[in-house]
Amino acid sequence: MAEHIVCITAAGGIPLLTRTKPGCQPLSFPVVGSLNGVHMFGLNRDVKLISTLSADHRIVWKIYEDSIVLIAVAPNEDKFLGHCAQKSSNSGVELESNARNSSSTVTDAHLLRLLDNIFHALVLLTGLSELTTIQNVDRLKKDLRACHQLVDTFLDPDLPGAQEKGLKLFGGLTHSVDIVIKEDAKLLHEHLQAFVEAADSTYGCLVVNGKVVCATNKWWMLTGQELALLGRLISIAPTSVTSSDVAVYLPHSSPNIPHRLLIFTLVTGVGSSSSGGVRACVLCGPQPSLAHVQNAYVERFWGPGTNTLQKCARSENIPTHLKSSLPSALLGFLLIDADAHRCLSHISPQIGTDTSDHLKRRKQKGDRQKIDSSWIYFRLCEFYKHVVGTSFPLPDSVEDSPLPQDDLSPHTGLAHYRCTTSHKCFALWRPPYQIFALYKPEAPTFALQNLTESTLDAVCKDGALLAL
C-alpha cells in the first residue's frame, strides 16, 4: 500500500522511525525534513494538513496524542488511473494485469487507517506513555527498533515478498483477526481452555499459519484492532524458537500496563509456509514463568493432541466438505464478520485444471498471466480497498476520528461488482457480514450475485464463524 512510513516528534520534528518498502529508494534526510516542515507550516497557521498529491505520490499526515506525527507516502493513484484508462477505453472497466505494484485503489481514508494500525503497533510493543511523554529521544529510537519487523508487515502486505513469510493476512485492512475453520476446532478448544486455565489466565488462542483456530471467550472480547495486531505479532515470531515471552501493551484495553504474551510452538511449519505451524498463545501477568509453563503444561495438555495438531497444520483454511460445496468458478473469497471482528479467507488457484476455450485462447495469444495464490490474494486486497470506503462503510475503530469527506460516499450500497479481462469480482453486504469474491473471467456476470450468496450461505451455515 505505502512505500514509506516516517515517524517524527511533533514538537521538534526529530525522526524516530523510518521504514521503506523493499525495492524502493529510502527517503533522504532533506525530504523527511521537508515533509515535516510543510506540516508544521500549516499548524502554525491553524491549518490541519491531512494529505496532498505530488506528481508521483500521495502523502498523508496524522498527529497522535500531540506527541508524534506519522507520515505515509504511497504511489499516486491518479497517474495509474490515467494510464489504465488509455488502455481500457474500448472495453469499459478494466484493470491491467501488470499493475502489481500499483496502489490505484488506495485513498486517504485507507492510508489514514494504515497510520492508525502502525501507531497502535508502536503502542503494542513500547507502551502509550513512552510515545506521549518523550523524555529521551535516543532511548525511544532504540526502543522502537523492536517494532521494525511488525511495521514492515504493513508496508508490503499484498505482494509475494511478504507472502513468502506466510503472511497472507487481511486483518490489517479489515480491523479484524484472520481465522480458519477446522473440523477439530471443538476438540482443540478443550485442550486450549485447560492449558490457559493451568497458566492462570483467561486469555489464550491457538494459531495456525498466523490465523486463529480457536480462542477463549475473554480473548474474543479484545477489540478488533488488538486481535489483528496480536495475530500479526504471533505470525512473525521466529519458528526456530520453541517458546517466547513478549511484553505487550494492549492499545485499547491496557496501553500503559504491560502484559506478557507467551508463545509456544507446538508444530513447526509445514510445506512452503516458513512462518507456518501451530502455536498456542497465552496472555498473562507476571506469573507464571515461561519455563514453568513450558515444562509443566505444554506436554501435559498438548501431547495427547499431537496428531490432531499436525492434521490442523496441513489442512486448508476451510474444511474439505465446505470447499467442495463452493462454486467451481470461485478463485477466492474474503468474508468479514463486523460484529465479531473476524475475517475468513479462502484462496483456490486452479492452474491447469480448467480447459475452457477462453483460457486456451488466452494461452495461444501469449498471455502469461499466472493465476497463483499471490495473484488472487493481491486482487482480493485491491477489490476490498476499491469497495470499502466508497460503496461499503469503513470498519469501525475504537477512537474513530472524522475521515476526509471527499473519500467517503454519502450512499451505502448492498452489492458491488467489477468485470475485468483477467477476473470478475462481486461484493455483498449482508449485515453483519461482508463478502468479497473473486471469480474466473468466464463466470457469467448475471450469476455473480447468486454465486456469492450461495458461498456466504455455505460458510455461515450452522454458525461456522461463531463456533470458535
Side-chain angles (χ1 to χ4, degrees):
M1 185 185 293
E3 290 182 349
H4 307 278
I5 295 295
V6 180
C7 176
I8 57 179
T9 60
I14 302 174
L16 299 173
L17 178 146
T18 303
R19 304 306 295 168
T20 301
K21 179 191 292 188
C24 297
Q25 187 72 21
L27 296 176
S28 63
F29 185 79
V31 171
V32 174
S34 298
L35 292 176
N36 175 62
V38 69
H39 183 257
M40 291 294 296
F41 181 83
L43 289 179
N44 292 335
R45 285 154 181 78
D46 296 326
V47 175
K48 184 179 180 181
L49 179 60
I50 297 176
S51 68
T52 189
L53 289 173
S54 70
D56 301 310
H57 291 86
R58 174 182 292 262
I59 308 167
V60 298
W61 293 260
K62 190 168 182 179
I63 302 178
Y64 291 90
E65 303 292 336
D66 294 324
S67 178
I68 65 171
V69 180
L70 284 177
I71 306 172
V73 182
N76 184 355
E77 64 171 343
D78 294 333
K79 180 178 180 180
F80 168 78
L81 289 176
H83 172 74
C84 180
Q86 293 176 3
K87 293 196 173 186
S88 59
S89 59
N90 297 326
S91 56
V93 181
E94 177 180 345
L95 285 179
E96 294 299 311
S97 301
N98 60 2
R100 179 176 289 272
N101 294 319
S102 171
S103 293
S104 62
T105 53
V106 175
T107 63
D108 287 354
H110 285 295
L111 286 176
L112 289 171
R113 285 303 174 98
L114 172 66
L115 293 184
D116 288 343
N117 284 331
I118 292 175
F119 173 72
H120 288 107
L122 301 182
V123 173
L124 182 73
L125 294 177
T126 61
L128 183 61
S129 59
E130 291 291 324
L131 298 174
T132 56
T133 308
I134 303 175
Q135 299 178 348
N136 188 319
V137 173
D138 292 332
R139 175 185 161 189
L140 180 57
K141 285 182 181 180
K142 183 177 180 180
D143 291 342
L144 289 178
R145 292 176 187 173
C147 306
H148 286 182
Q149 188 178 6
L150 184 58
V151 171
D152 288 347
T153 65
F154 290 102
L155 277 176
D156 200 9
D158 49 11
L159 296 180
Q163 295 166 32
E164 289 172 0
K165 303 174 183 178
L167 297 178
K168 289 190 179 69
L169 303 178
F170 293 91
L173 277 176
T174 62
H175 275 222
S176 57
V177 61
D178 292 85
I179 66 169
V180 291
I181 299 176
K182 302 293 184 180
E183 294 177 343
D184 299 317
K186 290 185 178 180
L187 176 60
L188 293 171
H189 186 271
E190 294 176 1
H191 286 275
L192 175 68
Q193 192 70 39
F195 176 68
V196 172
E197 289 177 359
D200 195 22
S201 177
T202 55
Y203 295 86
C205 70
L206 186 68
V207 177
V208 57
N209 300 332
K211 301 178 181 180
V212 175
V213 180
C214 57
T216 61
N217 292 334
K218 284 287 189 179
W219 184 275
W220 290 125
M221 292 177 65
L222 299 174
T223 66
Q225 194 165 58
E226 289 172 342
L227 290 171
L229 286 173
L230 287 172
R232 193 173 285 261
L233 179 63
I234 293 167
S235 70
I236 62 175
T239 55
S240 58
V241 179
T242 57
S243 61
S244 60
D245 188 341
V246 183
V248 295
Y249 300 80
L250 300 176
H252 304 126
S253 306
S254 181
N256 294 312
I257 300 176
H259 289 72
R260 295 166 59 225
L261 179 64
L262 308 184
I263 305 174
F264 303 93
T265 302
L266 306 178
V267 178
T268 56
V270 177
S272 60
S273 182
S274 60
S275 71
V278 183
R279 291 174 170 140
C281 308
V282 179
L283 198 61
C284 63
Q287 296 296 330
S289 68
L290 178 68
H292 178 69
V293 177
Q294 176 73 40
N295 297 330
Y297 302 137
V298 171
E299 180 62 29
R300 174 183 169 187
F301 291 102
W302 293 110
T306 300
N307 292 336
T308 305
L309 292 171
Q310 291 175 343
K311 177 183 175 183
C312 180
R314 290 191 298 266
S315 59
E316 298 186 38
N317 287 358
I318 60 176
T320 304
H321 72 272
L322 178 56
K323 180 180 177 181
S324 62
S325 66
L326 300 178
S328 59
L330 183 70
L331 293 174
F333 69 81
L334 168 63
L335 174 60
I336 303 166
D337 184 339
D339 289 348
H341 303 294
R342 306 175 190 178
C343 65
L344 173 70
S345 61
H346 173 63
I347 294 176
S348 179
Q350 301 176 26
I351 301 298
T353 62
D354 195 320
T355 57
S356 64
D357 293 338
H358 176 82
L359 291 185
K360 286 181 178 179
R361 288 195 300 269
R362 290 181 63 192
K363 186 175 181 181
Q364 291 172 356
K365 291 179 181 179
D367 188 350
R368 294 179 294 179
Q369 176 65 61
K370 184 180 180 181
I371 305 179
D372 57 9
S373 60
S374 298
W375 186 91
I376 296 172
Y377 173 74
F378 170 76
R379 293 304 176 191
L380 283 172
C381 289
E382 181 184 55
F383 186 50
Y384 175 88
K385 290 182 285 187
H386 175 76
V387 175
V388 174
T390 53
S391 296
F392 291 3
L394 285 161
D396 294 332
S397 182
V398 172
E399 68 283 272
D400 261 340
S401 57
L403 292 169
Q405 293 301 312
D406 290 344
D407 286 338
L408 304 179
S409 171
H411 307 289
T412 300
L414 297 178
H416 188 111
Y417 76 96
R418 168 185 272 187
C419 298
T420 78
T421 57
S422 59
H423 62 282
K424 294 180 180 179
C425 308
F426 196 94
L428 182 67
W429 185 23
R430 186 193 293 174
Y433 300 114
Q434 292 180 355
I435 184 170
F436 304 82
L438 190 76
Y439 297 95
K440 299 176 184 178
E442 62 268 21
T445 303
F446 67 85
L448 293 180
Q449 180 165 349
N450 288 336
L451 292 174
T452 306
E453 288 177 342
S454 66
T455 300
L456 177 60
D457 291 338
V459 177
C460 295
K461 184 179 180 181
D462 299 325
L465 281 180
L466 300 179
L468 298 172

